[in-house]
Amino acid sequence: MIRSGTTVDQMVRAIGDRIVTGYLRPGEKLDETSLAARFDVSRTPVREALGQLSAMGLVERRPNRGAIVAVVTQEHLASIFESMAELEAICARFSAERMTSNERRRLEIEHQASARMVQLGAKEDYEYFNHEFHSRLYRGAHNTHIHDLTVMTRSRLAPFRRAQFMLPGRLAKSWQEHDLIVTAIMRGDSVAAGKAARDHVSIVSEASAVFAADDRKPIRRDVA
């Protein structure tokens, strides 16, 4: 049984990951009854999860016909990542200008600690760190509207941003890209921070394109 309060979020993550990694194919039906049985929940949270996945563009809900896995084109995915890159660049630039000394210190400490995760190949731990790292940048911008807009856009890309770490060598490259962002912020160099963040998301976009390919095959999460 999935813990109360996290049921919908966990279903969104699990189903979204299976769609992105190719285990659920475009056009495949998502039966509410079967999903409810699999997750040991009622159909109500299943509908909510499918609604969130629909908002993310991963599921297509058809009136009186149920839900199916949506077709995610590379062009559509690239357009969202392009927006994400600009939003993250703004956040990084503002963070370099506005982060408090304590916020900068925590960012650097957490970043350096994540190097150990890369050495160990701890993908799940690094996924969690990566989410927190970017959240620190959004909060560090000290602009509520930009923060909320960035978080909303990130939620649409969440399964793809997680899936990138299944690609060979991606953990180490991600850390190196983060290092450029952190170094610029610690120097108070807003221009360099913005560029590093934009480049980082652009690289993630390129890495994630494989998960929107029409001929992709299922990719196991234990791939190095």
Side-chain angles (χ1 to χ4, degrees), residues 92 111 118 126 129-130 133-134 137 161 164-165 169-185 192-193 195-207:
H111 168 61
V118 175
Y126 192 84
F129 158 76
N130 184 64
F133 175 85
H134 286 275
L137 295 184
R161 296 186 76 155
Q164 65 167 312
F165 298 122
R170 184 61 201 141
L171 283 184
K173 291 177 182 177
S174 174
W175 191 92
Q176 293 165 2
E177 292 154 21
H178 285 180
D179 195 54
L180 293 175
I181 298 171
V182 173
T183 298
I185 289 176
K195 181 181 184 304
R198 183 184 295 106
D199 290 346
H200 172 53
V201 178
S202 295
I203 292 170
V204 175
S205 176
E206 293 173 3

Side-chain angles (χ1 to χ4, degrees), residues 8-209:
V8 173
D9 288 343
Q10 289 193 11
M11 282 193 291
V12 169
R13 180 182 177 113
I15 298 170
D17 285 351
R18 289 183 68 81
I19 291 173
V20 169
T21 54
Y23 282 94
L24 292 173
R25 307 295 294 178
E28 189 169 340
K29 185 175 181 180
L30 298 170
D31 181 68
E32 290 183 4
T33 301
S34 298
L35 289 171
R38 176 184 174 187
F39 289 101
D40 196 15
V41 296
S42 70
R43 291 175 63 179
T44 298
V46 170
R47 292 192 191 100
E48 185 176 344
L50 292 177
Q52 290 189 28
L53 289 163
S54 176
M56 294 164 66
L58 295 177
V59 167
E60 179 184 345
R61 304 182 82 177
R62 306 166 301 171
N64 303 317
R65 296 168 60 193
I68 61 172
V69 177
V71 175
V72 180
T73 66
Q74 292 187 1
E75 292 77 14
H76 178 65
L77 185 61
S79 71
I80 303 176
F81 266 114
E82 184 177 41
S83 300
M84 189 79 242
E86 294 306 315
L87 288 168
E88 294 233 12
I90 293 172
C91 288
R93 190 172 76 246
F94 282 0
S95 288
E97 298 171 350
R98 303 175 181 180
M99 266 188 169
T100 66
S101 57
N102 184 59
E103 287 175 325
R104 293 171 194 267
R105 184 165 56 253
R106 291 307 308 171
L107 179 71
E108 184 176 36
I109 289 172
E110 294 297 328
H111 168 61
Q112 294 301 332
S114 70
R116 181 62 175 166
M117 303 173 196
V118 175
Q119 293 172 355
L120 295 174
K123 295 184 182 66
E124 290 189 5
D125 290 341
Y126 192 84
E127 284 176 16
Y128 176 80
F129 158 76
N130 184 64
H131 185 276
E132 291 302 305
F133 175 85
H134 286 275
S135 293
R136 287 184 184 278
L137 295 184
Y138 308 161
R139 294 192 299 269
H142 292 279
N143 183 303
T144 303
H145 179 69
I146 290 175
H147 172 276
D148 293 347
L149 185 59
T150 307
V151 169
M152 180 183 68
T153 305
R154 176 177 65 176
S155 69
R156 299 194 64 181
L157 293 170
F160 295 97
R161 296 186 76 155
R162 286 195 299 271
Q164 65 167 312
F165 298 122
M166 299 163 60
L167 301 175
R170 184 61 201 141
L171 283 184
K173 291 177 182 177
S174 174
W175 191 92
Q176 293 165 2
E177 292 154 21
H178 285 180
D179 195 54
L180 293 175
I181 298 171
V182 173
T183 298
I185 289 176
M186 296 303 293
R187 290 201 313 259
D189 188 339
S190 61
V191 174
K195 181 181 184 304
R198 183 184 295 106
D199 290 346
H200 172 53
V201 178
S202 295
I203 292 170
V204 175
S205 176
E206 293 173 3
S208 300

